[in-house]
Amino acid sequence: MVEGGDLGELWSNVDITGLVGNILNLPAATLRHLETSVEGYEDVVDFIKQQVEENGVCTTIAHTRSHWIFLVIREAHVMIVDSAPSAAVLHDVKRWCTRYNLPDVYGRTVPTQIRGSNECGPFACLYALLYQYGPAPPKQNEKVSLN
């Protein structure tokens, strides 16, 4: 995070893991570049499936198409909590889930960031914190700014 800067500045996986890493099953950016085939995902997917089997859920913040999203992975479905929903990101997550035999994907409608802003990192962290400690992220689809 940029010192003294606004929350909209681009966040790195280090920033995100530092803020919410203790509540995620996987550190931020473990699932980087979902839109491409990357070596080593098989071990990560085995870990995800083990977490789901043992705990009923695996949570992480993933990065795809220069965008951070919060994922809640359960046996029956993968929920995408996304502050700037797009068909391309949804397609990447669906293709990744299909490739590794993970369950169906759906997106949860939540407040969204202002179009063109770089607030996806803070939003993903907020959604992770709300998921862990409640209340759940609001369901309305309203534009909000973290500035």
Side-chain angles (χ1 to χ4, degrees):
M1 189 162 72
V2 177
E3 223 177 274
D6 69 53
L7 287 175
E9 292 300 318
L10 296 177
W11 281 21
S12 72
N13 59 319
V14 174
D15 296 324
I16 291 172
T17 299
L19 183 61
V20 295
N22 62 325
I23 64 169
L24 300 172
N25 297 107
L26 288 173
T30 300
L31 302 179
R32 285 188 69 83
H33 309 295
L34 294 181
E35 73 272 15
T36 60
S37 180
V38 177
E39 295 294 322
Y41 268 157
E42 293 78 9
D43 293 338
V44 172
V45 171
D46 287 344
F47 176 80
I48 290 169
K49 290 179 178 179
Q50 177 186 351
Q51 288 292 307
V52 170
E53 187 175 307
E54 292 175 5
N55 305 315
V57 66
C58 182
T59 59
T60 191
I61 294 176
H63 191 264
T64 185
R65 297 185 186 263
S66 301
H67 182 62
W68 292 106
I69 56 175
F70 176 58
L71 297 176
V72 179
I73 304 166
R74 296 185 177 276
E75 188 174 336
H77 62 264
V78 175
M79 179 176 66
I80 303 170
V81 186
D82 188 353
S83 63
S86 74
V89 168
L90 180 61
H91 173 76
D92 291 345
V93 176
K94 283 183 176 184
R95 186 175 54 195
W96 180 78
C97 288
T98 300
R99 182 183 304 140
Y100 295 107
N101 199 29
L102 292 170
D104 290 337
V105 176
Y106 76 95
R108 171 126 192 263
T109 303
V110 293
T112 57
Q113 67 192 60
I114 295 172
R115 185 171 179 85
S117 72
N118 291 323
E119 297 173 338
C120 56
F123 269 92
C125 290
L126 174 64
Y127 297 145
L129 290 166
L130 289 172
Y131 180 83
Q132 179 67 26
Y133 300 112
K139 292 183 181 180
Q140 68 270 20
N141 193 7
E142 61 188 33
K143 301 287 183 203
V144 296
S145 175
L146 297 177
N147 290 328

